[in-house]
Amino acid sequence: MLIYFSGTGNCLCAARTLALPDEPVVSLRPGGVDISPAARRIGFVFPVYWYGLPSVCAQAISRLDLPGEAYIFACFTYNSGVGAAAKELSGLLKARGRSLDAVFSVRMPNNYVPALPAQSPKKQEKILRDAAARLAQIRPLLLQQRRFTSLKKRLPVFISNMLHKYYLSHRATDGFYVTACVSCGKCADICPCGAIHLEQGRPVWSGSCTRCTACINRCPVQGIQLGRFCPHNGRYVCPVTVLTDG
């Protein structure tokens, strides 16, 4: 069973690429997911947010019941580095009486357009080709249920922790605004936190946000903004559902 969290499709694509034929690929929500006691393989495919785990993932992991005999691995998708995400997940699993048998990372295109421009299609294609090659190398190790760690880190853990604490304390929704709207309601439907509802046909935010950017990147008219750079930074949704090497 593969459990993923994805705002714009990167982790869903990676999870489908890693999945065995007929293996369940399930989206993680704050309430968690049901895992069969008979499961023999559990994979977590999570993005890295500000060099740590998305808040939704951390909340859900703390509620999971994990089979004692399952082989457990984690795949982290990132654009600028993994930071302390693996350490954080390991700590949460340890509190549940389990540990990671394997953990690795794969670079995927940037989707955090509130801060950084979406990469060019040519750059995205190159990153996705490299990701396909990376996953093709890793997949046999998972099939053999090997124990290994293969992570890309670009920041010391203490800096990663500092930046992640900033993320956790700055998830208020008052910075969102709308420049165009067709009242489709897609943003409210896809928000994993339930932080969006429609008033007079337009989205209104409340509570806290995990910063998955699904509402921003998937808006059909690119009308949802967060911060002053967002309107000029383009949008990104993963263009493929499965990565093939070559």
Side-chain angles (χ1 to χ4, degrees):
M1 179 180 193
L2 269 66
I3 302 168
Y4 73 93
F5 176 73
S6 187
T8 60
N10 282 338
C11 281
L12 173 57
C13 176
R16 286 175 171 169
T17 303
L18 292 169
L20 302 173
D22 301 320
E23 185 173 25
V25 177
V26 180
S27 176
L28 184 71
R29 294 295 178 180
V33 297
D34 293 327
I35 300 175
S36 168
R40 290 292 174 263
R41 178 174 114 138
I42 299 170
F44 297 108
V45 185
F46 292 160
V48 176
Y49 287 1
W50 289 70
Y51 303 98
L53 279 181
S55 58
V56 166
C57 296
Q59 292 165 12
I61 290 293
S62 66
R63 300 186 180 99
L64 290 181
D65 291 322
L66 299 168
E69 301 300 322
Y71 173 79
I72 300 178
F73 70 87
C75 169
F76 289 102
T77 67
Y78 71 97
N79 187 254
S80 61
V82 174
K87 183 177 181 180
E88 184 179 358
L89 178 58
S90 294
L92 290 169
L93 291 176
K94 184 177 181 180
R96 310 296 295 170
R98 295 306 316 272
S99 61
L100 286 170
D101 295 299
V103 57
F104 59 98
S105 59
V106 57
R107 189 185 180 206
M108 295 290 276
N110 169 59
N111 70 357
Y112 199 68
V113 295
L116 297 171
Q119 290 145 328
S120 69
K122 185 176 180 179
K123 180 66 172 178
Q124 291 175 17
E125 289 173 8
K126 166 114 181 16
I127 294 173
L128 291 170
R129 284 197 305 270
D130 291 345
R134 168 79 166 159
L135 293 175
Q137 292 174 343
I138 293 293
R139 201 168 186 269
L141 302 180
L142 300 178
L143 292 174
Q144 298 164 22
Q145 297 198 353
R146 297 271 294 275
R147 296 182 62 89
F148 67 93
T149 298
S150 181
L151 294 170
K152 305 289 184 180
K153 294 185 179 181
R154 297 187 179 184
L155 286 177
V157 170
F158 78 93
I159 297 179
S160 298
N161 289 339
M162 180 177 64
L163 290 172
H164 195 60
K165 286 179 181 178
Y166 177 87
Y167 154 77
L168 291 173
S169 62
H170 287 75
R171 296 185 297 112
T173 55
D174 53 4
F176 286 91
Y177 60 101
V178 179
T179 54
C181 183
V182 293
S183 301
C184 66
K186 186 173 185 178
C187 53
D189 290 340
I190 63 178
C191 178
C193 299
I196 306 174
H197 66 278
L198 299 186
E199 291 186 5
Q200 297 182 342
R202 294 173 71 87
V204 175
W205 286 261
S206 60
S208 62
C209 166
T210 201
R211 292 297 193 263
C212 72
T213 71
C215 64
I216 296 171
N217 283 292
R218 294 185 181 274
C219 173
V221 293
Q222 298 188 14
I224 295 177
Q225 319 295 346
L226 177 62
R228 62 191 178 106
F229 301 113
C230 195
H232 313 291
N233 282 350
R235 298 294 185 264
Y236 170 80
V237 175
C238 189
V240 293
T241 57
V242 177
L243 293 167
T244 57
D245 185 21

